[in-house]
Amino acid sequence: ICLVLRNKYNTDLLNRIVFIGINIAAASSQAVSLLDCFEQTLKQFDSRQIAVRIERDKPLLDVLSDSKILVSIIGMVICLLKLENTSLKKIGVGLRRRGGYVSIRFTAGKVRTQLNYQKDLIDFINHILSYNGSRLSWSQKSLSRTAYLRLRLSNQMPLSYNEYNE
């Protein structure tokens, strides 16, 4: 069953790479809802295995990106995490809004295998993300995998804009 899962995730990675390659020329950088992109991505995976939580809750999480490309990139990160450990039961995803950007932290279980194409795919994802000033960092803390996806926020009006001050 491990071999079947690995083939499934490798095929999914390849499909996402081909999709990005075909659609990158027509991609447009615009304000897209990060939460909608996660919702679309989770429909493609078993959503019970991925726990998304918003830290320091601020509801405006619109980022500069192309929504279809961003959905593919989030899916690629999830596939890479699952390929490193096919028995992975839970992936934690934390969304944190910072000054000018959103930090997305993917935390997974123990790293059981080292992927030999991981660096090439991370470089490919960073190349795609660099057009919008975003980036992906991939690290191993103790024996667990952590990935950080940093996306630029679109210009958003603060929530206090409609307060009436006397």
Side-chain angles (χ1 to χ4, degrees):
I1 193 155
C2 181
L3 183 62
V4 172
L5 284 174
R6 293 187 73 73
N7 286 337
K8 176 189 178 298
Y9 294 127
N10 279 319
T11 303
D12 194 17
L13 272 174
L14 181 61
N15 286 336
R16 291 173 191 278
I17 291 169
V18 169
F19 176 82
I20 289 173
I22 291 171
N23 294 298
I24 194 68
S28 62
S29 196
Q30 57 190 0
V32 297
S33 170
L34 181 60
L35 297 177
D36 288 345
C37 289
F38 262 104
E39 186 176 306
Q40 291 175 24
T41 305
L42 293 180
K43 287 179 184 176
Q44 301 166 7
F45 293 94
D46 184 3
S47 60
R48 293 171 295 166
Q49 293 183 347
I50 303 168
V52 178
R53 70 180 181 286
I54 299 174
E55 300 169 3
R56 296 183 186 171
D57 188 21
K58 293 183 182 178
L60 296 177
L61 288 174
D62 291 344
V63 296
L64 287 176
S65 185
D66 182 90
S67 63
K68 292 178 181 176
I69 300 291
L70 185 57
V71 167
S72 292
I73 288 174
I74 293 169
M76 287 175 73
V77 171
I78 292 171
C79 283
L80 284 171
L81 290 171
K82 288 184 169 278
L83 277 169
E84 278 191 327
N85 185 350
T86 54
S87 64
L88 188 64
K89 300 290 185 215
K90 225 25 157 171
I91 296 175
V93 179
L95 305 174
R96 182 176 284 184
R97 182 176 167 181
R98 307 256 184 176
Y101 67 94
V102 174
S103 177
I104 305 167
R105 182 182 68 221
F106 295 88
T107 54
K110 292 183 179 180
V111 177
R112 296 220 174 139
T113 60
Q114 294 296 328
L115 299 176
N116 55 359
Y117 52 84
Q118 171 186 347
K119 181 168 177 6
D120 293 335
L121 282 174
I122 304 284
D123 290 344
F124 173 75
I125 292 170
N126 274 324
H127 179 72
I128 300 300
L129 290 172
S130 68
Y131 292 112
N132 297 322
S134 303
R135 64 184 160 93
L136 173 68
S137 62
W138 198 260
S139 63
Q140 182 175 342
K141 293 186 178 177
S142 64
L143 296 175
S144 298
R145 175 63 65 203
T146 304
Y148 291 96
L149 182 59
R150 179 179 172 166
L151 302 168
R152 281 188 36 207
L153 283 169
S154 65
N155 290 334
Q156 298 178 29
M157 193 174 290
L159 292 176
S160 61
Y161 75 96
N162 59 359
E163 287 181 5
Y164 179 75
N165 295 323
E166 295 183 62

